[in-house]
Amino acid sequence: MIYIGSTGHEYAVEATVGESVMATAVKNGIPGIVAECGGNCSCATCHVWVAEEFAPAVGPPGDMEEDLLDMAVAERRGTSRLACQIRVTEALDGLTVEIPPEQP
């Protein structure tokens, strides 16, 4: 996985299939992923922008996630997702996400 921080710095890390993109970030000390709720889809502090080429594989947000994204502080984009709601799969090898400059 590749995380792009708000300063443009790229963090390439190994991800474990089945873990969330948020858990992978936290485990690897990626700055900008606050993860206040611990992955319970209740805070939107793990908002990321999924790279366009991965958007179809990641899929759209669910209803609860949509509501939280509407309240996110950072700019909402067409590929906005909560990292806690994206499970790492083999199909997501090389997944790239950008971290907004602010989380709620």
Side-chain angles (χ1 to χ4, degrees):
M1 287 200 62
I2 299 170
Y3 298 85
I4 302 173
S6 62
T7 63
H9 183 81
E10 292 188 9
Y11 304 87
V13 300
E14 291 293 323
T16 303
V17 170
E19 276 191 342
S20 71
V21 172
M22 181 220 68
T24 301
V26 170
K27 183 169 71 175
N28 287 281
I30 305 298
I33 301 290
V34 179
E36 282 183 1
C37 74
N40 292 310
C41 194
S42 63
C43 72
T45 60
C46 64
H47 178 207
V48 295
W49 298 309
V50 175
E52 288 286 340
E53 64 269 21
F54 285 98
V58 169
D63 291 339
M64 184 184 294
E65 185 178 356
E66 281 281 357
D67 291 343
L68 288 168
L69 286 167
D70 284 341
M71 296 183 297
V73 171
E75 168 193 357
R76 173 115 188 238
R77 297 181 183 172
T79 61
S80 285
R81 291 292 311 268
L82 297 182
C84 67
Q85 298 302 295
I86 304 171
R87 291 279 162 211
V88 175
T89 66
E90 293 290 337
L92 296 180
D93 186 32
L95 174 65
T96 301
V97 298
E98 187 177 348
I99 303 167
E102 295 181 36
Q103 299 285 4

